[in-house]
Amino acid sequence: WNLHTLTQEKDLDFFVCFSSVASLLGNTGQGNYAAANAFMDTLAHHRRALGLPGLSINWGAWAEIGLAAEIDRQQQTRLAAMGMGAIDPEQGIPVLAQLVEQTDNTQVGVFPMNWPKFLKQHQQIPVFLSELAETLSTNLSASVDPMEELLKRPPEEQKKYLMNHVRTELNRILGFKPSQPMDPDKVFTDMGMDSLMIVESRNRLQANLKHRFPSTLLFDYPTIQRLVDYIADEVLELESPEEGATDTDRTPNRTEGILSRLEQLSEQEAEKLLAEKFCLAT
Ligand SMILES: NC(=O)c1ccc[n+]([C@@H]2O[C@H](COP(=O)([O-])OP(=O)(O)OC[C@H]3O[C@@H](n4cnc5c(N)ncnc54)[C@H](OP(=O)(O)O)[C@@H]3O)[C@@H](O)[C@H]2O)c1
């Protein structure tokens, strides 16, 4: 504050405050430190509002130098376990140079984080981080192959997995939280789905489940229950739990059944069936 008041008449190029991640994310036992840094952050905003240069950088812990280098190993291990990494000076200095050059920033956080690890510690995600948590969960689930995941599960769990997957995808398209419950019998258009969303939903399900669907999929099966029933029973032909139970009695399993049905078909009939199944042009 003293520097701010004493330099107001000076034509400064920069006014850079070295703040801490503590004022953004908080840190156990550092309430006073977080408050002091929040003051600096606010000062940078105040200066910008006055038309003066101002930048507050919320640094994470620097490795090797300064305050953080003095903290003991136990403390460092604690931070790492929380998903908070340290800034290597070789990476941090160029970031500082870059930020000082970009005069349009007022407050910037610079801290290496393992976000999934960090967020896992919160029973309830702070509102401030909820959007980030949503994006992370989208990216994480995007890296999972839903068909592979589904087939790994025992028959009695497959339909439930499919229902969760479809609900998550539709919720995302509707702009809801992925885990938001969905009335199984509510018509999609009554949930706010427009025709573009309906086509996008079909495209996503088609890509994720690796099956071709007609563009009218969500019109033909307009509730999540009907949609999942159709995909499970008619497209993926998932075994119902009861069917799974009879397997142990050594009735022919599904693959054997399909093979024996195929053997009874002529070559032409088999080709026609395949073409129909995979929407191929004959
Ligand atoms: N190091 C980190 O990982 C880290 C992370 C986030 C934020 N920060 C923030 O960055 C700033 C610098 O951290 P640091 O690690 O470089 O700290 P540091 O190694 O403890 O250095 C602090 C510097 O401030 C000077 N100083 C202390 N009291 C002063 C006073 N009353 N008047 C004038 N100068 C004074 C000290 O001078 P003497 O040497 O003469 O005592 C020293 O040069 C701090 O505000 C810290 O909260 C640091």
Side-chain angles (χ1 to χ4, degrees):
W1 182 256
N2 286 342
L3 284 175
H4 163 67
T5 45
L6 294 172
T7 57
Q8 279 203 29
E9 303 307 318
K10 296 197 184 295
D11 184 20
L12 297 182
D13 290 326
F14 318 110
F15 188 101
V16 184
C17 304
F18 273 26
S19 176
S20 161
V21 63
S23 65
L24 290 180
L25 302 181
N27 197 9
T28 317
Q30 287 197 318
N32 52 350
Y33 186 62
N37 283 292
F39 174 81
M40 263 197 299
D41 300 340
T42 317
L43 177 60
H45 287 280
H46 177 61
R47 286 183 57 89
R48 293 297 282 249
L50 296 175
L52 299 168
L55 168 66
S56 190
I57 309 176
N58 300 87
W59 294 112
W62 282 71
E64 300 172 32
I65 50 172
L67 280 179
E70 287 169 24
I71 61 175
D72 57 38
R73 186 162 292 278
Q74 201 183 352
Q75 179 90 326
Q76 285 183 26
T77 316
R78 188 181 70 87
L79 288 177
M82 283 165 59
M84 293 175 132
I87 304 166
D88 190 318
E90 276 181 26
Q91 291 175 311
I93 300 294
V95 173
L96 173 62
Q98 216 179 322
L99 289 175
V100 168
E101 268 172 32
Q102 295 168 356
T103 50
D104 48 343
N105 294 312
T106 305
Q107 185 180 0
V108 180
V110 183
F111 41 91
M113 291 290 284
N114 179 334
W115 285 109
K117 203 176 205 179
F118 181 77
L119 292 171
K120 235 187 245 170
Q121 300 161 88
H122 294 82
Q123 275 192 325
Q124 200 170 359
I125 304 289
V127 177
F128 173 59
L129 296 174
S130 57
E131 215 170 295
L132 173 74
E134 291 277 312
T135 313
L136 281 173
S137 85
T138 308
N139 293 346
L140 280 178
S141 63
S143 63
V144 170
D145 179 340
M147 268 315 275
E148 231 174 71
E149 286 299 310
L150 184 135
L151 295 173
K152 266 193 227 160
R153 288 173 159 71
E156 63 274 20
E157 285 176 19
Q158 289 181 343
K159 196 160 177 181
K160 192 171 164 215
Y161 176 84
L162 182 67
M163 172 62 93
N164 282 339
H165 175 73
V166 173
R167 191 196 57 207
T168 304
E169 291 303 309
L170 300 187
N171 269 335
R172 277 195 192 118
I173 288 165
L174 282 159
F176 301 146
K177 284 191 168 167
S179 56
Q180 177 151 318
M182 193 176 269
D183 180 342
D185 300 315
K186 191 160 179 178
V187 174
F188 296 131
T189 46
D190 291 345
M191 293 181 194
M193 231 187 228
D194 59 24
S195 53
L196 286 178
M197 290 174 174
I198 282 180
V199 173
E200 194 190 337
S201 305
R202 170 270 202 165
N203 291 348
R204 281 236 207 147
L205 294 176
Q206 187 164 265
N208 289 358
L209 302 175
K210 300 187 175 76
H211 276 76
R212 297 271 305 267
F213 295 123
S215 52
T216 53
L217 179 72
L218 274 78
F219 288 114
D220 301 339
Y221 304 95
T223 66
I224 190 161
Q225 189 64 61
R226 289 183 58 192
L227 179 63
V228 170
D229 284 347
Y230 165 71
I231 299 175
D233 303 339
E234 292 182 44
V235 180
L236 304 179
E237 294 181 12
L238 299 180
E239 275 178 45
S240 65
E242 304 82 62
E243 270 178 70
T246 58
D247 261 354
T248 51
D249 306 334
R250 278 312 298 150
T251 51
N253 67 27
R254 227 163 60 81
T255 315
E256 287 164 349
I258 290 167
L259 282 174
S260 85
R261 257 158 54 205
L262 273 176
E263 274 163 15
Q264 288 160 23
L265 295 175
S266 71
E267 205 170 305
Q268 254 181 340
E269 282 170 327
E271 257 177 34
K272 190 164 168 273
L273 192 67
L274 277 172
E276 275 172 16
K277 193 84 190 154
F278 296 103
C279 310
L280 301 173
T282 46

